């Protein structure tokens, strides 16, 4: 979990372990610790430990100045830039606890965006503790969660229930998606886990529980998840310039935000590999299915030749992509006269654009990729994921089904179809797809990296699905 207990927090640790021991059925904390150390740490045990060792303190509009800056500066600027073009916003409450922070973001958007219904809004909210996630999904809160909200707030956005609690209104709740994620061991910026191309990430009041080395790792990983120009907010007590060297520090009245700016962050580029390390084709089938989409018009007079993977722009772009510098990778490929040619170069560009949230362009390059290699399941997968992000679930489902037609063992396509069904309330279909995913995952070693996942391992996806099912309210 990456949690660090310095000597002054030893009493907290003892208290938490004693509570966990009780839940595990041990009278003595030390016996429980011996047992934990002597046996494999299963997902179920990890979840009990996460419940007791993490601190679940949060409330609506906590550290309001940061949210004020989002409402007055950051979000209006994003909205202005995208209105009438790509009407899309992606926010992430990382370590969301019981959901107050994520719902605060949703309420904020409702307040400042009158035509919210015409926007494709993602508010991802993640936490390691399945118990707080269950509370977040239920969306029912007591008075204490509202201690910093103005009069009338509860009445406006919540429904009062008989037990003197307040349940978030469905139109706000539906804006937020809760997922189980461990900030410490999860890969960031993965289309597969929807942690790519974020505009704003709030990661507050959690970094303080990690070691400095762990904190740096988490921040670097969140940096990758942001689009160029995207924003990260930590808690004021966690903000220090040394911890965020890859960001530009932006000082606002009463709050500090960190902005990802490619112009200001240029670590030395590792020597370019001779061939593309980032691209692997997951396709195994060779047949050309009848449903393959017609090639999109390509501004080329002749058929594109196969990509020369040793050509400098391609190799450099692949190396930039590997470093998470997706915007630069895309620009490098787009600068090639006539655009990149061949399935590998098109796929690299499509991925880089998708990771930057440039979805319409990414889709166009997916189409070229598929036109160049119709049997590459990975091309259809990326197309499906991009369509999902664009808010076109029907077309996305068709694309993902094509993936499985080409390669029935494409784990992430089953997972994506499961998520799609879950979001639409089709629980039987979700269970079926998650079941297929788990069955395929069992054939792999926990450390195996899944194709097309940007580094997600089989073990981690297994944990995610297990926790996801645990966080789901009983139906
Ligand atoms: C104090 S709450 C912060 C909630 C909210 N961000 C806020 O500022 O009010 C800290 C949360 O971090 C979560 N957490 C701790 N370690 C984590 C990890 N490794 N990955 C994800 N979440 C973690 C805990 O479960 C807890 O819900």
């Amino acid at each position: 979990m990456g949690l660090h207990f310095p000597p002054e927090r030893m009493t907290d640790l003892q208290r938490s372990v004693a509570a966990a021991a009780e839940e595990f059925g041990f009278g003595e904390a030390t016996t429980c610790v011996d047992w934990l150390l002597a046996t494999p740490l299963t997902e179920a045990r990890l979840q009990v430990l996460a419940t007791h060792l993490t601190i679940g303190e949060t409330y609506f509009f906590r550290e309001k100045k940061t949210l004020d800056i989002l409402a007055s500066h950051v979000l209006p600027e994003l909205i202005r830039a995208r209105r009438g073009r790509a009407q899309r916003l992606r926010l992430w409450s990382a370590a969301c606890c019981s959901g107050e922070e994520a719902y605060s973001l949703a309420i904020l958007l409702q307040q400042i965006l009158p035509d919210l219904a015409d926007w494709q809004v993602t508010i991802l909210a993640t936490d390691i503790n399945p118990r707080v996630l269950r509370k977040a999904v239920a969306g029912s809160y007591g008075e204490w969660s509202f201690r910093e909200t103005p009069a009338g707030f509860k009445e406006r956005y919540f429904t009062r229930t008989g037990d003197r609690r307040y349940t978030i209104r469905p139109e706000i709740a539906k804006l937020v998606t809760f997922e189980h994620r461990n900030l410490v061991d999860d890969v960031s910026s993965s289309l597969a886990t929807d942690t790519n191309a974020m505009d704003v990430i709030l990661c507050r009041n959690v970094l303080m529980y990690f070691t400095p080395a762990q904190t740096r790792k988490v921040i670097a990983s969140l940096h990758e998840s942001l689009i160029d120009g995207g924003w990260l907010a930590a808690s004021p007590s966690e903000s220090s310039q040394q911890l965020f060297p890859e960001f530009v520090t932006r000082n606002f009245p009463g709050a500090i935000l960190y902005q990802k700016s490619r112009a200001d962050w240029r670590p030395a580029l590792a020597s370019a590999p001779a061939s593309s390390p980032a691209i692997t084709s997951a396709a195994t089938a060779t047949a050309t299915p009848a449903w393959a989409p017609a090639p999109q018009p390509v501004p080329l007079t002749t058929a594109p030749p196969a990509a020369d993977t040793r050509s400098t722009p391609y190799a450099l772009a692949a190396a930039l992509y590997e470093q998470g510098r997706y915007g630069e990778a895309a620009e490098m490929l787009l600068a090639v006269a006539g655009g990149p040619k061949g399935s590998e170069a098109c796929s690299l560009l499509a991925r880089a654009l998708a990771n930057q949230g440039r979805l319409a362009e990414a889709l166009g390059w997916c189409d070229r990729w598929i036109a160049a290699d119709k049997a590459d399941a990975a091309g259809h997968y990326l197309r499906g994921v991009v369509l999902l992000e664009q808010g076109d679930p029907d077309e996305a489902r068709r694309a993902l089904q094509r993936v499985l037609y080409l390669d029935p063992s494409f784990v992430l396509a089953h997972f994506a179809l499961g998520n799609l069904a879950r979001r639409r309330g089709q629980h039987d279909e979700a269970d079926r797809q998650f079941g297929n995913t788990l069955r395929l995952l069992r054939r792999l070693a926990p450390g195996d990296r899944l194709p097309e996942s940007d580094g997600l391992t089989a073990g981690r996806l297994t944990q995610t699905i297990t926790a996801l099912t645990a966080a789901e309210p009983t139906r």
Side-chain angles (χ1 to χ4, degrees):
M1 280 180 262
L3 302 179
H4 170 58
F5 287 83
E8 61 274 18
R9 290 197 58 220
M10 232 7 100
T11 326
D12 288 348
L13 180 59
Q14 280 166 353
R15 198 181 321 110
S16 310
V17 172
E22 200 180 320
E23 182 161 350
F24 284 127
F26 288 90
E28 277 287 318
T30 43
T31 326
C32 176
V33 170
D34 289 341
W35 169 73
L36 280 170
L37 293 176
T39 50
L41 187 59
T42 61
E43 181 59 22
R45 287 179 200 165
L46 197 62
Q47 288 190 10
V48 172
L49 287 173
T51 298
H52 294 286
L53 294 180
T54 56
I55 307 230
E57 165 66 1
T58 186
Y59 45 90
F60 288 100
F61 283 84
R62 181 177 195 177
E63 289 154 8
K64 188 169 171 299
K65 289 207 168 119
T66 302
L67 297 179
D68 287 345
I69 299 300
L70 290 184
S72 65
H73 180 88
V74 171
L75 292 169
E77 202 173 87
L78 282 168
I79 290 166
R80 237 187 335 270
R82 294 184 189 167
R83 187 178 291 289
R85 287 184 234 150
Q87 299 211 152
R88 170 170 188 267
L89 292 169
R90 287 175 58 77
L91 318 181
W92 179 10
S93 163
C96 64
C97 196
S98 38
E100 287 89 332
E101 182 174 86
Y103 290 135
S104 298
L105 287 174
I107 289 168
L108 207 96
L109 279 181
Q110 258 242 341
Q111 290 171 344
I112 66 169
L113 195 55
D115 56 342
L116 179 66
D118 300 330
W119 286 69
Q120 176 72 24
V121 170
T122 300
I123 303 177
L124 175 68
T126 62
D127 202 279
I128 197 175
N129 181 342
R131 210 160 285 182
V132 292
L133 282 174
R134 270 197 290 277
K135 189 173 166 207
V137 171
S140 163
Y141 299 96
E143 287 288 350
W144 192 230
S145 287
F146 298 96
R147 56 191 180 270
E148 300 244 324
T149 59
F153 175 86
K154 289 194 296 268
E155 293 70 20
R156 175 133 187 232
Y157 299 105
F158 295 78
T159 309
R160 194 178 162 151
T161 48
D163 48 0
R164 293 177 45 211
R165 295 181 68 80
Y166 295 84
T167 303
I168 190 88
R169 287 189 186 272
E171 65 270 23
I172 306 286
K174 74 168 195 238
L175 295 172
V176 184
T177 306
F178 291 98
E179 303 279 358
H180 180 268
R181 296 266 190 284
N182 182 354
L183 280 173
V184 165
D185 78 357
D186 279 342
V187 286
S188 70
S189 192
S190 169
L191 282 159
T193 53
D194 205 23
T195 47
N196 65 311
M198 289 291 165
D199 297 309
V200 175
I201 301 177
L202 298 188
C203 184
R204 304 187 301 168
N205 300 295
V206 63
L207 298 173
M208 60 177 80
Y209 301 115
F210 301 150
T211 58
Q214 195 58 68
T215 305
R216 281 286 315 122
K217 245 177 88 184
V218 170
I219 291 169
S221 157
L222 295 176
H223 182 263
E224 260 189 45
S225 284
L226 286 166
I227 58 160
D228 290 341
W231 298 83
L232 172 66
S235 166
S237 59
E238 297 163 320
S239 298
S240 97
Q241 203 136 13
Q242 290 98 307
L243 277 178
F244 300 83
E246 57 274 75
F247 287 88
V248 181
T249 304
R250 305 278 187 213
N251 285 295
F252 294 97
I256 296 173
L257 266 70
Y258 297 97
Q259 189 171 24
K260 175 169 173 174
S261 164
R262 73 176 184 199
D264 294 305
W265 173 247
R266 288 190 176 275
L269 182 61
S271 59
S275 62
S276 159
I279 306 301
T280 47
S281 169
T284 49
T286 50
T288 304
W291 40 257
Q296 296 294 302
V298 178
L300 290 172
T301 45
T302 52
D308 176 3
T309 52
R310 288 158 305 172
S311 71
T312 307
Y314 179 81
L316 281 174
L320 285 164
Y321 184 97
E322 278 290 282
Q323 294 181 15
R325 295 161 67 182
Y326 307 120
E328 290 165 87
E331 294 321 324
M332 182 148 299
L333 287 169
L334 286 167
V336 174
K341 298 162 188 72
S343 68
E344 284 192 47
C346 290
S347 88
L348 182 59
L349 180 53
R351 291 165 216 261
L353 290 166
N355 275 324
Q356 277 293 292
R358 292 161 65 176
L359 297 183
E361 290 169 86
L363 203 60
W365 287 100
C366 279
D367 288 339
R368 291 186 194 197
W369 174 6
I370 291 167
D373 186 356
K374 291 189 182 64
D376 189 347
H380 295 281
Y381 172 71
L382 186 64
R383 188 167 177 275
V385 175
V386 169
L387 284 162
L388 263 182
E389 284 196 19
Q390 279 190 322
D392 189 348
D394 294 329
E395 195 51 37
R397 197 178 52 244
R398 278 191 282 277
L400 292 166
Q401 280 164 347
R402 278 170 204 158
V403 177
L404 295 177
Y405 177 89
L406 286 169
D407 180 0
S409 64
F410 200 114
V411 179
L412 289 178
H414 286 288
F415 179 58
L417 281 167
N419 271 326
L420 187 56
R422 174 175 163 249
R423 281 179 202 158
R424 299 184 130 195
Q426 298 162 341
H427 297 297
D428 290 342
E429 173 61 8
D431 289 348
R432 192 176 74 80
Q433 293 294 358
F434 289 146
N436 287 340
T437 316
L438 290 172
R439 190 170 41 74
L440 290 167
L441 288 170
R442 276 196 287 276
R443 294 189 200 157
L444 303 170
D448 285 351
R449 288 157 75 98
L450 301 171
E452 304 310 317
S453 73
D454 287 319
L456 185 69
T457 62
R460 190 57 206 130
L461 186 59
T462 305
Q463 287 175 346
T464 300
I465 295 175
T466 317
L468 191 101
T469 326
E472 209 86 301
T474 37
R475 39 174 211 266

